[in-house]
Amino acid sequence: MPTILGIPFDVNSSCLRGPAGAPAKIREALRSDASNKWTELGVDLGAAGAFADAGDLPLNDSPESVGDDFAEIERAVGKLLAKGEAPVSLGGDHSVTYPILKAFARRYPELTIIHFDAHPDLYDEFEGSRVSHACPFARIMEERLAKRLVQVGIRTMNGHQREQAARFGVEVVEMRALPAFDRLKIRGPVYVSFDMDVLDPAFAPGISHREPGGITVREAIAHLHAIEGTIAGADIVEYNPVQDVSGMTATVAAKILKEILGKMIMA
Ligand code: MN
Ligand code: MN
């Protein structure tokens, strides 16, 4: 069963803090009576036992305790996986995907990650940190925590990260190459990492790094629906309530969450 897990953590953000407040806001938007609980593909998330919620992790979210917090994230995700649950975490900055994948790699050695983002997040280090939210996929690929990494919506590639992508064999689908539905036909288990800044900031202003020229909410849903392969888990990261406008981005994050949960339940 898909199980939501809140990760209130943003100390590895390079620019603005704020995503630690995301889990509560996304849950609130998901529960809102402004919309019903059915997904577009016909799954009723309001049905008893459709999905579970494991609450928020108790994290320190301070620079001195990043190691402890990462260990707690890995432990909690591993515990859900051991119970046969499919964790869907609500971040948090994108650095949390690294400890999450450490837990996933033990259970799913043949995992393909589908990573939606404006940024490749492949820096070897960023501003002196190797656990920055700009680095998680460098750590994940170095430690071979996934078999394949498919990145979608990238529009900030630079020289260093292009070298990193080549070094790790990352399959980068840049924004200008979309739509790319065929690239999402995956064999085997899939992990979806959804950075909210893949969306154009016109649709989702509540993020720390606004990068114009992104996908619409409609295009995001179409690509999520196009995924083939079993979604074993997912995260939604980088929603920053401090930057949001009248809760618009929380509503969008909740919509993305609904469609991911629906796909998982249908499988
Ligand atoms: Mn990211
Ligand atoms: Mn990003």
Side-chain angles (χ1 to χ4, degrees):
M1 185 192 299
T3 300
I4 293 172
L5 179 66
I7 305 185
F9 183 86
D10 59 18
V11 76
N12 288 329
S13 303
S14 58
C15 180
L16 298 171
R17 303 274 305 252
K25 296 288 185 188
I26 298 173
R27 278 199 189 86
E28 190 181 314
L30 183 67
R31 282 196 304 262
S32 168
D33 290 331
S35 183
N36 68 46
K37 299 293 178 286
W38 289 72
T39 77
E40 292 193 9
L41 296 179
V43 173
D44 181 9
L45 296 178
F51 68 95
D53 190 336
D56 286 356
L57 289 180
L59 302 174
N60 296 306
D61 198 23
S62 76
E64 299 76 31
S65 55
V66 169
D68 289 344
D69 283 355
F70 273 17
E72 171 63 12
I73 293 167
E74 183 182 344
R75 186 201 63 77
V77 172
K79 190 174 155 196
L80 288 174
L81 288 170
K83 288 198 297 187
E85 310 286 346
V88 178
S89 61
L90 307 178
D93 68 52
H94 216 156
S95 71
V96 304
T97 304
Y98 171 41
I100 291 170
L101 261 290
K102 280 190 176 182
F104 267 86
R106 281 196 298 275
R107 191 166 185 92
Y108 296 103
E110 299 287 289
L111 196 63
T112 296
I113 303 171
I114 300 178
H115 166 207
F116 293 90
D117 207 324
H119 314 92
D121 294 349
L122 284 167
Y123 281 97
D124 182 55
E125 59 92 24
F126 195 79
E127 295 176 347
S129 170
R130 288 172 61 80
V131 292
S132 163
H133 69 159
C135 306
F137 293 94
R139 300 291 85 76
I140 286 164
M141 297 310 278
E142 271 169 4
E143 296 184 23
R144 302 179 192 279
L145 302 180
K147 187 180 69 171
R148 292 175 64 193
L149 172 59
V150 181
Q151 298 188 321
V152 180
I154 307 298
R155 53 191 186 276
T156 58
M157 192 57 97
N158 62 8
H160 168 66
Q161 293 191 97
R162 202 172 291 284
E163 285 170 15
Q164 291 280 86
R167 176 179 158 211
F168 297 128
V170 181
E171 299 161 62
V172 183
V173 184
E174 292 194 48
M175 185 64 220
R176 58 201 162 92
L178 295 185
F181 303 123
D182 287 349
R183 304 288 294 274
L184 303 178
K185 292 176 177 165
I186 310 295
R187 284 188 189 181
V190 172
Y191 182 87
V192 176
S193 186
F194 195 98
D195 183 327
M196 289 295 291
D197 67 32
V198 71
L199 297 160
D200 194 282
F203 299 92
I207 50 173
S208 302
H209 300 261
R210 290 174 178 160
E211 189 66 35
I215 59 177
T216 64
V217 177
R218 187 72 257 150
E219 289 168 318
I221 293 168
H223 281 85
L224 288 170
H225 287 173
I227 293 173
E228 290 181 12
T230 304
I231 301 176
D235 60 58
I236 297 174
V237 295
E238 295 289 340
Y239 165 48
N240 187 336
V242 179
Q243 292 274 89
D244 204 355
V245 177
S246 67
M248 182 194 302
T249 312
T251 305
V252 173
K255 173 85 176 178
I256 297 297
L257 173 62
K258 280 178 71 175
E259 294 305 316
I260 291 174
L261 290 172
K263 282 281 289 186
M264 294 171 79
I265 292 166
M266 285 173 75

